[in-house]
Amino acid sequence: MKSTHFLVSFIFYVCFVCVSFGFECGQKSCTDGRLFLHTHYVSSYASSIDINGVGGGFGGGALWYDREFYGNVEAALSFMDFHTQSTHHILSTNRGFGTIFSAFGDIGLNLGSLNKPLFLGFAIPIEMYNLNSSSSPNGLSMGIVGFGVNIAQRYITLLENIRFEYALGVYYALGVYNFAALEHKGLFRNGLNTQGFLTQASVGLSYGERYPLFARFKAKYFCLEDSQSILAENGLNVLYPANQNFTLTLELGMGF
């Protein structure tokens, strides 16, 4: 019965983006909706490819929890200026525009209380990169999805109306690379699959009650193995080398 109540509440409050708006607690549950702007930095390093990007964008999230369960979703879109340095035969050194779409969802147990929640649950982070070259056809599209555990805590009182929050997660990751340069007319070629791990952490401060202002700093790191190789139309045996990716994001926003 409790599980049924949890699922119904989760779908209503989280999937419909906290209809009650702002941070609000009743006798049995709480909701917290947020909107934010952010700056974004990304660095991706492989043996023959080095990609750096800076930019910014917007996003939002919604949290619902009671004394036993919780559900949380977040999404953000960044518009990036990328610079690629490469000696790999499928990417050339260039500068171009691109986007990064990030999504995150977790669901699990509230080990704390309504006033001081402590969340431990199963999480799925998603990262989707699209790097467009200034010298087409040459581009890279990359998607990563993770599966793992996440621990988070909000509303830790530091001073009057000022609260601290944090989150930490570790995930097994699956990835896929697509390259415009492998096909005619700039079409992306699918099939360069890989795996690895992803970890992310965040710390933040919020000020206020009903519609709080907040600032949150996020860091993500994922390490992916060599991709599976494919035979391209030009006869080359192509793979994407093992790489390490690091991103930093600063979010500024408010409850809604």
Side-chain angles (χ1 to χ4, degrees):
M1 191 69 179
K2 292 181 179 179
S3 298
T4 302
H5 170 73
F6 166 64
L7 290 174
V8 172
S9 299
F10 173 72
I11 293 172
F12 181 80
Y13 286 110
V14 178
C15 293
F16 289 92
V17 198
C18 290
V19 176
S20 57
F21 301 101
F23 176 69
E24 184 175 21
C25 273
Q27 294 182 350
K28 295 183 178 181
S29 65
C30 300
T31 60
D32 189 359
R34 292 179 172 183
L35 293 175
F36 59 82
L37 300 175
H38 69 265
T39 59
H40 200 143
Y41 168 78
V42 59
S43 176
S44 179
Y45 173 79
S47 59
S48 55
I49 301 172
D50 189 9
I51 301 172
N52 293 281
V54 292
F58 58 91
L63 166 70
W64 171 91
Y65 69 93
D66 63 12
R67 291 180 174 85
E68 296 177 319
F69 305 105
Y70 82 97
N72 178 55
V73 292
E74 298 178 5
L77 178 64
S78 299
F79 302 93
M80 307 292 292
D81 180 19
F82 285 104
H83 184 263
T84 303
Q85 292 181 310
S86 174
T87 58
H88 201 289
H89 54 269
I90 54 176
L91 278 180
S92 61
T93 295
N94 65 80
R95 183 175 181 178
F97 175 80
T99 59
I100 298 177
F101 174 74
S102 301
F104 180 82
D106 58 326
I107 186 171
L109 301 175
N110 178 12
L111 304 180
S113 62
L114 284 182
N115 294 329
K116 297 180 179 180
L118 174 60
F119 306 128
L120 177 64
F122 172 76
I124 300 178
I126 298 173
E127 299 282 313
M128 297 180 64
Y129 289 62
N130 184 23
L131 286 65
N132 296 317
S133 170
S134 57
S135 56
S136 182
N138 193 343
L140 167 65
S141 175
M142 178 170 59
I144 303 108
V145 58
F147 306 91
V149 294
N150 193 74
I151 185 170
Q153 193 169 11
R154 291 191 186 183
Y155 321 123
I156 303 172
T157 301
L158 299 180
L159 298 171
E160 185 178 1
N161 291 328
I162 299 179
R163 297 174 175 82
F164 174 74
E165 63 184 68
Y166 69 88
L168 176 64
V170 180
Y171 321 95
Y172 169 71
L174 297 173
V176 61
Y177 303 99
N178 306 295
F179 294 93
L182 296 184
E183 296 282 5
H184 298 301
K185 301 179 182 179
L187 298 176
F188 283 100
R189 173 68 180 264
N190 296 308
L192 283 79
N193 301 313
T194 186
Q195 60 185 346
F197 76 91
L198 185 156
T199 183
Q200 64 180 20
S202 68
V203 293
L205 295 173
S206 61
Y207 174 80
E209 293 288 345
R210 186 70 172 88
Y211 301 101
L213 303 175
F214 77 93
R216 184 168 56 179
F217 179 77
K218 286 183 178 179
K220 300 179 183 179
Y221 172 79
F222 51 95
C223 183
L224 300 178
E225 300 175 356
D226 294 340
S227 72
Q228 297 177 358
S229 62
I230 62 172
L231 185 64
E233 288 189 352
N234 54 15
L236 291 175
N237 192 35
V238 177
L239 62 81
Y240 195 87
N243 63 101
Q244 302 179 61
N245 301 266
F246 186 71
T247 70
L248 299 174
T249 307
L250 176 62
E251 300 173 352
L252 299 173
M254 66 175 297
F256 71 95

Coordinates of all heavy atoms in Angstrom, one line a residue, residues 43-118:
S43 N 36.3 19.5 -20.4 CA 37.6 19.1 -20.9 C 37.5 17.6 -21.1 O 37.3 16.8 -20.2 CB 38.7 19.4 -20.0 OG 40.0 19.0 -20.4
S44 N 37.8 17.2 -22.4 CA 37.8 15.8 -22.7 C 39.2 15.4 -23.3 O 39.6 16.0 -24.3 CB 36.7 15.5 -23.7 OG 36.7 14.1 -24.1
Y45 N 39.9 14.5 -22.7 CA 41.2 14.2 -23.1 C 41.4 12.7 -23.5 O 40.9 11.8 -22.8 CB 42.2 14.5 -22.0 CG 43.6 14.0 -22.3 CD1 44.5 14.7 -23.2 CD2 44.1 12.8 -21.8 CE1 45.7 14.3 -23.5 CE2 45.4 12.4 -22.1 CZ 46.2 13.1 -22.9 OH 47.5 12.7 -23.2
A46 N 41.9 12.4 -24.7 CA 42.3 11.1 -25.1 C 43.8 11.2 -25.6 O 44.4 12.2 -25.7 CB 41.4 10.6 -26.2
S47 N 44.3 10.0 -26.0 CA 45.7 10.0 -26.4 C 46.0 10.8 -27.6 O 47.1 11.4 -27.8 CB 46.1 8.5 -26.7 OG 45.3 7.9 -27.7
S48 N 45.0 11.0 -28.5 CA 45.3 11.7 -29.8 C 44.2 12.8 -30.0 O 44.2 13.4 -31.1 CB 45.3 10.8 -31.0 OG 44.1 10.0 -31.0
I49 N 43.4 13.0 -29.0 CA 42.3 14.0 -29.2 C 42.1 14.8 -27.9 O 42.1 14.2 -26.8 CB 40.9 13.3 -29.5 CG1 41.0 12.5 -30.8 CG2 39.8 14.4 -29.6 CD1 39.8 11.7 -31.0
D50 N 42.1 16.1 -27.9 CA 41.9 17.0 -26.8 C 40.8 18.0 -27.1 O 41.0 18.8 -28.0 CB 43.2 17.7 -26.5 CG 43.2 18.4 -25.1 OD1 42.2 18.2 -24.4 OD2 44.1 19.2 -24.8
I51 N 39.7 17.9 -26.4 CA 38.6 18.8 -26.6 C 38.3 19.7 -25.4 O 38.2 19.1 -24.3 CB 37.3 18.0 -27.0 CG1 37.6 17.1 -28.2 CG2 36.1 18.9 -27.2 CD1 36.5 16.2 -28.5
N52 N 38.2 21.0 -25.6 CA 37.8 21.9 -24.5 C 36.7 22.8 -24.9 O 36.6 23.2 -26.1 CB 39.0 22.8 -24.1 CG 40.2 22.0 -23.5 OD1 40.1 21.6 -22.3 ND2 41.2 21.7 -24.3
G53 N 35.8 23.0 -24.0 CA 34.6 23.9 -24.3 C 34.2 24.7 -23.1 O 34.3 24.3 -22.0
V54 N 33.7 25.9 -23.4 CA 33.1 26.8 -22.4 C 31.8 27.3 -22.9 O 31.6 27.5 -24.2 CB 34.1 28.0 -22.1 CG1 35.3 27.5 -21.4 CG2 34.4 28.8 -23.3
G55 N 30.9 27.6 -22.0 CA 29.6 28.1 -22.4 C 28.6 28.2 -21.3 O 29.1 28.4 -20.1
G56 N 27.4 28.2 -21.5 CA 26.4 28.3 -20.5 C 25.0 28.0 -21.0 O 24.8 27.7 -22.2
G57 N 24.0 28.0 -20.1 CA 22.7 27.6 -20.5 C 21.7 27.7 -19.4 O 21.8 28.6 -18.5
F58 N 20.7 26.9 -19.4 CA 19.6 26.9 -18.4 C 19.2 25.5 -18.1 O 19.4 24.6 -18.8 CB 18.5 27.8 -19.0 CG 17.9 27.2 -20.2 CD1 16.9 26.3 -20.2 CD2 18.4 27.7 -21.5 CE1 16.3 25.8 -21.4 CE2 17.9 27.2 -22.7 CZ 16.9 26.3 -22.6
G59 N 18.4 25.4 -17.0 CA 17.9 24.1 -16.6 C 16.9 24.2 -15.5 O 16.5 25.3 -15.1
G60 N 16.5 23.1 -15.0 CA 15.5 23.0 -13.9 C 15.4 21.7 -13.3 O 16.0 20.7 -13.8
G61 N 14.7 21.6 -12.2 CA 14.6 20.3 -11.5 C 13.4 20.3 -10.6 O 12.8 21.3 -10.3
A62 N 13.0 19.1 -10.2 CA 11.8 18.9 -9.3 C 12.1 17.7 -8.4 O 12.6 16.7 -8.8 CB 10.6 18.7 -10.1
L63 N 11.8 18.0 -7.1 CA 12.0 17.0 -6.0 C 10.7 16.8 -5.3 O 10.0 17.7 -4.9 CB 13.1 17.4 -5.1 CG 13.3 16.7 -3.8 CD1 13.8 15.3 -4.0 CD2 14.2 17.4 -2.8
W64 N 10.4 15.5 -5.0 CA 9.3 15.2 -4.1 C 9.8 14.1 -3.1 O 10.6 13.2 -3.5 CB 8.1 14.6 -4.9 CG 7.1 14.0 -4.0 CD1 6.0 14.6 -3.5 CD2 7.0 12.7 -3.4 NE1 5.2 13.8 -2.6 CE2 5.9 12.6 -2.6 CE3 7.8 11.6 -3.5 CZ2 5.5 11.4 -1.9 CZ3 7.5 10.4 -2.8 CH2 6.3 10.4 -2.0
Y65 N 9.4 14.2 -1.8 CA 9.8 13.2 -0.8 C 8.8 13.2 0.3 O 8.1 14.2 0.6 CB 11.2 13.4 -0.3 CG 11.4 14.7 0.5 CD1 11.3 14.6 1.9 CD2 11.7 15.9 -0.1 CE1 11.5 15.8 2.7 CE2 11.9 17.0 0.7 CZ 11.8 17.0 2.0 OH 12.0 18.1 2.8
D66 N 8.7 12.1 1.0 CA 7.9 12.0 2.2 C 8.9 11.4 3.2 O 10.1 11.4 3.1 CB 6.6 11.2 2.1 CG 6.9 9.7 1.7 OD1 8.0 9.2 1.7 OD2 5.9 9.0 1.3
R67 N 8.4 10.8 4.3 CA 9.2 10.3 5.4 C 9.9 9.0 5.0 O 10.8 8.5 5.8 CB 8.4 10.1 6.7 CG 8.0 11.4 7.3 CD 7.2 11.2 8.6 NE 6.9 12.4 9.3 CZ 5.8 13.2 9.0 NH1 5.0 12.8 8.0 NH2 5.6 14.3 9.7
E68 N 9.6 8.4 3.9 CA 10.2 7.1 3.5 C 10.8 7.1 2.1 O 11.8 6.4 2.0 CB 9.1 6.0 3.6 CG 8.5 5.8 5.0 CD 7.4 4.8 5.0 OE1 6.6 4.8 4.1 OE2 7.4 3.9 5.9
F69 N 10.2 7.8 1.2 CA 10.7 7.7 -0.2 C 10.9 9.1 -0.8 O 10.5 10.1 -0.2 CB 9.6 6.9 -1.1 CG 9.2 5.6 -0.6 CD1 8.0 5.4 0.1 CD2 10.1 4.5 -0.7 CE1 7.7 4.1 0.5 CE2 9.8 3.3 -0.3 CZ 8.5 3.1 0.4
Y70 N 11.6 9.1 -2.0 CA 11.8 10.3 -2.7 C 11.9 10.1 -4.2 O 12.2 8.9 -4.6 CB 13.0 11.1 -2.2 CG 14.3 10.6 -2.8 CD1 14.9 11.2 -3.8 CD2 15.0 9.4 -2.3 CE1 16.1 10.7 -4.4 CE2 16.1 8.9 -2.8 CZ 16.7 9.6 -3.9 OH 17.9 9.1 -4.5
G71 N 11.7 11.1 -5.0 CA 12.0 11.1 -6.4 C 12.5 12.4 -6.8 O 12.0 13.5 -6.4
N72 N 13.4 12.4 -7.8 CA 14.0 13.7 -8.2 C 14.4 13.6 -9.7 O 14.9 12.6 -10.2 CB 15.3 13.9 -7.4 CG 16.1 15.1 -7.8 OD1 15.5 16.2 -7.8 ND2 17.3 15.0 -8.1
V73 N 14.1 14.7 -10.4 CA 14.5 14.8 -11.8 C 15.1 16.2 -12.1 O 14.7 17.2 -11.5 CB 13.3 14.6 -12.8 CG1 12.9 13.1 -12.7 CG2 12.2 15.5 -12.5
E74 N 16.2 16.2 -12.9 CA 16.8 17.4 -13.3 C 17.2 17.4 -14.8 O 17.4 16.3 -15.3 CB 18.1 17.7 -12.5 CG 17.8 17.8 -11.0 CD 19.1 18.0 -10.2 OE1 20.2 18.1 -10.9 OE2 19.1 18.0 -9.0
A75 N 17.3 18.5 -15.4 CA 17.7 18.6 -16.8 C 18.3 20.0 -17.1 O 17.9 21.0 -16.5 CB 16.5 18.3 -17.8
A76 N 19.3 20.0 -18.0 CA 19.9 21.3 -18.3 C 20.4 21.2 -19.8 O 20.8 20.1 -20.3 CB 21.1 21.5 -17.4
L77 N 20.5 22.4 -20.4 CA 21.0 22.5 -21.8 C 22.0 23.6 -21.8 O 21.8 24.7 -21.3 CB 19.8 22.9 -22.8 CG 20.2 23.1 -24.2 CD1 20.8 21.8 -24.8 CD2 19.0 23.6 -25.0
S78 N 23.2 23.3 -22.4 CA 24.3 24.2 -22.5 C 24.7 24.5 -23.9 O 24.6 23.5 -24.8 CB 25.6 23.7 -21.8 OG 25.3 23.5 -20.4
F79 N 25.0 25.7 -24.2 CA 25.5 26.1 -25.6 C 26.9 26.4 -25.5 O 27.3 27.3 -24.7 CB 24.7 27.3 -26.1 CG 23.2 27.1 -26.1 CD1 22.4 27.4 -25.1 CD2 22.6 26.5 -27.3 CE1 21.0 27.2 -25.1 CE2 21.2 26.3 -27.3 CZ 20.4 26.6 -26.2
M80 N 27.8 25.7 -26.2 CA 29.2 25.7 -26.0 C 30.0 26.1 -27.2 O 29.6 25.9 -28.3 CB 29.6 24.2 -25.6 CG 28.8 23.6 -24.5 SD 29.1 24.3 -22.9 CE 30.8 23.9 -22.6
D81 N 31.2 26.7 -26.9 CA 32.2 27.0 -27.8 C 33.3 26.0 -27.6 O 34.0 26.0 -26.6 CB 32.7 28.4 -27.6 CG 33.8 28.8 -28.6 OD1 33.9 28.2 -29.7 OD2 34.6 29.8 -28.3
F82 N 33.5 25.1 -28.6 CA 34.4 24.0 -28.5 C 35.7 24.3 -29.3 O 35.6 24.8 -30.4 CB 33.8 22.7 -28.9 CG 32.9 22.1 -28.0 CD1 31.5 22.1 -28.2 CD2 33.3 21.4 -26.8 CE1 30.6 21.6 -27.3 CE2 32.4 20.9 -25.9 CZ 31.0 20.9 -26.2
H83 N 36.8 23.8 -28.8 CA 38.1 23.8 -29.5 C 38.7 22.4 -29.5 O 38.9 21.8 -28.4 CB 39.1 24.8 -29.0 CG 40.3 24.9 -29.8 ND1 41.5 24.2 -29.5 CD2 40.6 25.6 -30.9 CE1 42.4 24.5 -30.3 NE2 41.9 25.3 -31.2
T84 N 38.9 21.8 -30.7 CA 39.4 20.4 -30.8 C 40.9 20.5 -31.3 O 41.1 21.1 -32.4 CB 38.5 19.6 -31.7 OG1 37.2 19.6 -31.2 CG2 39.0 18.2 -31.7
Q85 N 41.8 19.8 -30.6 CA 43.1 19.5 -31.1 C 43.3 18.0 -31.3 O 43.1 17.3 -30.3 CB 44.2 20.1 -30.2 CG 44.2 21.6 -30.1 CD 45.3 22.1 -29.1 OE1 45.4 21.6 -28.0 NE2 46.1 23.0 -29.6
S86 N 43.6 17.6 -32.5 CA 43.5 16.1 -32.8 C 44.6 15.7 -33.8 O 44.8 16.5 -34.8 CB 42.1 15.7 -33.3 OG 42.1 14.4 -33.7
T87 N 45.2 14.6 -33.6 CA 46.0 13.9 -34.6 C 45.3 12.6 -35.1 O 45.9 11.9 -35.8 CB 47.4 13.6 -34.1 OG1 47.3 12.8 -32.9 CG2 48.1 14.9 -33.7
H88 N 44.1 12.4 -34.6 CA 43.3 11.2 -35.0 C 42.8 11.4 -36.4 O 42.4 12.5 -36.8 CB 42.2 11.0 -34.0 CG 41.6 9.6 -34.0 ND1 40.9 9.1 -35.0 CD2 41.7 8.6 -33.1 CE1 40.5 7.8 -34.8 NE2 41.0 7.5 -33.6
H89 N 42.7 10.3 -37.2 CA 42.3 10.5 -38.6 C 40.8 10.7 -38.8 O 40.4 10.9 -39.9 CB 42.7 9.2 -39.4 CG 42.2 7.9 -38.8 ND1 42.9 7.2 -37.9 CD2 41.0 7.3 -39.0 CE1 42.2 6.1 -37.6 NE2 41.1 6.2 -38.2
I90 N 40.0 10.7 -37.7 CA 38.6 11.0 -37.9 C 38.2 12.3 -37.4 O 37.0 12.7 -37.5 CB 37.7 9.9 -37.3 CG1 38.1 9.7 -35.8 CG2 37.8 8.6 -38.1 CD1 37.2 8.7 -35.1
L91 N 39.1 13.0 -36.7 CA 38.8 14.4 -36.2 C 40.0 15.3 -36.5 O 41.1 14.9 -36.3 CB 38.5 14.4 -34.7 CG 37.1 14.1 -34.2 CD1 37.1 14.2 -32.7 CD2 36.1 15.0 -34.8
S92 N 39.7 16.5 -37.0 CA 40.8 17.4 -37.3 C 40.8 18.5 -36.3 O 39.8 18.8 -35.6 CB 40.7 18.0 -38.7 OG 39.5 18.7 -38.8
T93 N 41.9 19.2 -36.1 CA 41.9 20.4 -35.2 C 41.0 21.5 -35.8 O 41.2 21.9 -36.9 CB 43.4 20.9 -35.1 OG1 44.2 19.9 -34.5 CG2 43.4 22.2 -34.3
N94 N 40.1 22.0 -34.9 CA 39.2 23.0 -35.4 C 38.5 23.6 -34.2 O 38.6 23.1 -33.1 CB 38.2 22.4 -36.4 CG 37.2 21.4 -35.7 OD1 36.3 21.8 -35.0 ND2 37.5 20.1 -35.9
R95 N 37.7 24.6 -34.5 CA 36.9 25.3 -33.5 C 35.5 25.3 -34.0 O 35.3 25.6 -35.2 CB 37.4 26.7 -33.2 CG 36.7 27.4 -32.1 CD 37.3 28.8 -31.8 NE 36.6 29.5 -30.7 CZ 37.0 30.7 -30.2 NH1 38.1 31.3 -30.8 NH2 36.3 31.2 -29.3
G96 N 34.5 25.1 -33.1 CA 33.2 25.1 -33.5 C 32.2 25.2 -32.4 O 32.5 25.2 -31.2
F97 N 30.9 25.3 -32.8 CA 29.8 25.5 -31.8 C 29.2 24.1 -31.5 O 29.2 23.2 -32.3 CB 28.8 26.4 -32.4 CG 27.5 26.6 -31.5 CD1 27.5 27.4 -30.4 CD2 26.4 25.9 -31.8 CE1 26.4 27.5 -29.6 CE2 25.3 26.0 -31.1 CZ 25.3 26.8 -30.0
G98 N 28.7 24.0 -30.3 CA 28.0 22.7 -29.9 C 27.1 22.9 -28.8 O 26.9 24.0 -28.2
T99 N 26.5 21.8 -28.4 CA 25.5 21.8 -27.3 C 25.8 20.6 -26.4 O 26.4 19.5 -26.8 CB 24.1 21.7 -27.7 OG1 23.9 20.5 -28.5 CG2 23.7 22.9 -28.6
I100 N 25.4 20.7 -25.1 CA 25.5 19.6 -24.2 C 24.1 19.5 -23.5 O 23.7 20.5 -22.9 CB 26.6 19.7 -23.1 CG1 28.0 19.8 -23.8 CG2 26.5 18.6 -22.1 CD1 29.1 20.0 -22.8
F101 N 23.5 18.4 -23.6 CA 22.2 18.2 -22.8 C 22.5 17.2 -21.7 O 23.1 16.1 -21.9 CB 21.1 17.6 -23.7 CG 19.9 17.2 -23.0 CD1 19.0 18.2 -22.5 CD2 19.6 15.9 -22.8 CE1 17.9 17.8 -21.8 CE2 18.4 15.5 -22.1 CZ 17.6 16.5 -21.6
S102 N 22.1 17.6 -20.5 CA 22.3 16.7 -19.3 C 21.0 16.5 -18.7 O 20.2 17.4 -18.5 CB 23.3 17.4 -18.3 OG 24.5 17.7 -18.9
A103 N 20.8 15.2 -18.2 CA 19.6 14.9 -17.5 C 19.9 13.9 -16.4 O 21.0 13.2 -16.5 CB 18.5 14.2 -18.4
F104 N 19.1 14.0 -15.3 CA 19.4 13.2 -14.2 C 18.1 12.8 -13.4 O 17.3 13.7 -13.3 CB 20.4 13.9 -13.2 CG 20.7 13.2 -11.9 CD1 21.8 12.3 -12.0 CD2 20.0 13.4 -10.8 CE1 22.1 11.6 -10.8 CE2 20.4 12.7 -9.6 CZ 21.4 11.8 -9.6
G105 N 18.0 11.6 -13.1 CA 16.9 11.1 -12.3 C 17.3 10.1 -11.3 O 18.1 9.2 -11.5
D106 N 16.7 10.2 -10.1 CA 17.0 9.2 -9.0 C 15.8 9.0 -8.2 O 14.9 9.9 -8.1 CB 18.2 9.6 -8.2 CG 18.1 10.9 -7.5 OD1 17.5 11.8 -8.1 OD2 18.6 11.1 -6.4
I107 N 15.7 7.8 -7.6 CA 14.5 7.4 -6.9 C 15.0 6.5 -5.8 O 15.9 5.6 -6.0 CB 13.5 6.8 -7.8 CG1 12.2 6.5 -7.0 CG2 14.0 5.5 -8.5 CD1 11.0 6.0 -7.9
G108 N 14.4 6.6 -4.6 CA 14.9 5.7 -3.5 C 14.3 6.0 -2.2 O 13.1 6.4 -2.1
L109 N 15.1 5.9 -1.1 CA 14.7 6.0 0.3 C 15.1 7.3 0.9 O 16.2 7.9 0.6 CB 15.3 4.9 1.1 CG 15.0 3.4 0.6 CD1 15.7 2.4 1.5 CD2 13.5 3.2 0.7
N110 N 14.2 7.8 1.7 CA 14.6 9.0 2.6 C 14.9 8.4 4.0 O 14.1 7.9 4.7 CB 13.4 9.9 2.7 CG 13.7 11.1 3.7 OD1 14.8 11.3 4.0 ND2 12.6 11.8 4.0
L111 N 16.2 8.5 4.3 CA 16.7 7.9 5.6 C 16.6 9.0 6.7 O 17.0 8.6 7.8 CB 18.2 7.5 5.4 CG 18.4 6.4 4.3 CD1 19.9 6.1 4.2 CD2 17.6 5.2 4.5
G112 N 16.2 10.2 6.3 CA 16.1 11.2 7.3 C 14.7 11.5 7.7 O 13.8 10.6 7.8
S113 N 14.3 12.8 7.8 CA 13.0 13.2 8.1 C 12.5 14.2 7.1 O 13.2 14.5 6.1 CB 13.0 13.9 9.5 OG 13.8 15.0 9.5
L114 N 11.3 14.8 7.3 CA 10.8 15.8 6.4 C 11.6 17.1 6.5 O 11.9 17.7 5.5 CB 9.3 16.1 6.8 CG 8.3 15.1 6.3 CD1 6.9 15.7 6.7 CD2 8.3 14.9 4.8
N115 N 12.1 17.5 7.7 CA 12.8 18.7 7.9 C 14.3 18.5 7.5 O 14.9 19.4 7.0 CB 12.7 19.1 9.4 CG 11.3 19.6 9.7 OD1 10.6 20.1 8.9 ND2 11.0 19.4 11.0
K116 N 14.8 17.3 7.7 CA 16.2 17.0 7.4 C 16.3 15.7 6.6 O 16.7 14.7 7.1 CB 17.1 16.9 8.7 CG 17.1 18.2 9.5 CD 17.9 18.1 10.8 CE 18.0 19.4 11.5 NZ 18.8 19.2 12.8
P117 N 16.0 15.8 5.3 CA 16.0 14.5 4.5 C 17.4 14.1 4.2 O 18.3 14.9 4.0 CB 15.2 14.9 3.3 CG 15.4 16.4 3.2 CD 15.5 16.9 4.6
L118 N 17.6 12.8 4.1 CA 18.8 12.2 3.6 C 18.4 11.1 2.6 O 17.8 10.1 3.0 CB 19.6 11.6 4.8 CG 20.8 10.8 4.4 CD1 21.9 11.6 3.7 CD2 21.4 10.1 5.7

